[in-house]
Amino acid sequence: VSTGQNESIAPDELEQALDEDTIAELVEKTGLTRSELMSRLSQTLPDAVDQATPNGQFPPLDIQEPRSI
């Protein structure tokens, strides 16, 4: 995490970073195939991180809002 645009992540790199239970839960909740899920997440994750860290830093824990899928 830093200022500016975050680097992209390949679907296979993202798949290695996530545990199997998380992937299975996301597949179930989204109805996407595993391959489509990894592809979409790899495309949207850098922008999501940019939005969550506008100053290139994670906000303090006391002001972070819980998020759900």
Side-chain angles (χ1 to χ4, degrees), residues 2-66:
S2 65
T3 56
Q5 213 170 30
N6 285 297
E7 293 183 30
S8 62
I9 183 168
D12 60 323
E13 292 175 311
L14 184 58
E15 194 165 4
Q16 291 174 9
L18 297 173
D19 65 71
E20 288 299 320
D21 290 341
T22 299
I23 295 171
E25 181 180 353
L26 291 172
V27 165
E28 183 179 327
K29 285 185 176 186
T30 63
L32 299 171
T33 65
R34 185 182 183 104
S35 176
E36 183 65 20
L37 175 69
M38 292 298 108
S39 177
R40 289 189 187 191
L41 283 176
S42 71
Q43 293 171 12
T44 58
L45 187 60
D47 186 52
V49 172
D50 283 341
Q51 291 180 29
T53 59
N55 297 318
Q57 300 175 22
F58 288 103
L61 289 176
D62 61 332
I63 64 168
Q64 287 183 345
E65 295 180 27

